[in-house]
Amino acid sequence: MGKLLEEIITFNRSFVEQQKFEPYLTSKFPDKKFVILTCMDTRLIELLPASMNIKNGDVKMIKSAGGVVSTAFGGIMRSIIVAIYELGAEEVLVIGHYDCGMSSINPQKMKDKFLERGIEEETLTILEHSGLHIERWLRGFDDVSESIRSSVSLIRNHPLVPKIPVHGLVIDPATGRLDIVDEGYE
Ligand SMILES: [Zn+2]
């Protein structure tokens, strides 16, 4: 077993043995009936729930790079739909953050990194020929508020999403301060 995994499993065994899970026991249905889509940024792991008074069991939380819904029928949108119909979420909060890594992504440079890491040029060519616009697919955003509004709009207008409030917010990854960029109540 590799070192990282070994460390994790060793810690995990003692976590379970000492019943440290007890404070986290809850059900799979969110007590505060909403679902959050946010960014996978490391600074938000604990800060975002803490700054919103969210505990284990309170909400459904979906994460993606940038907190972006990029396609109407991808995994992120499917998760939102499952949260609404199967798990009792009654509102959706899309939360981006300032200083997001997705705002500085350079797809052309990432393609260079693919090649440096051993991906064949031919593979990229095949993907492009089969219809994947790699640069468009990897593209981030210039303005986080704009990106959040666009994801909110995609969710609100999705043919399988019922009439429920969908909100857009942006969080400060240092202080946890939330700014509303698009309120979903009519
Ligand atoms: Zn981010």
Side-chain angles (χ1 to χ4, degrees), residues 39 41 97 100-101:
C39 182
D41 194 284
H97 66 99
C100 184

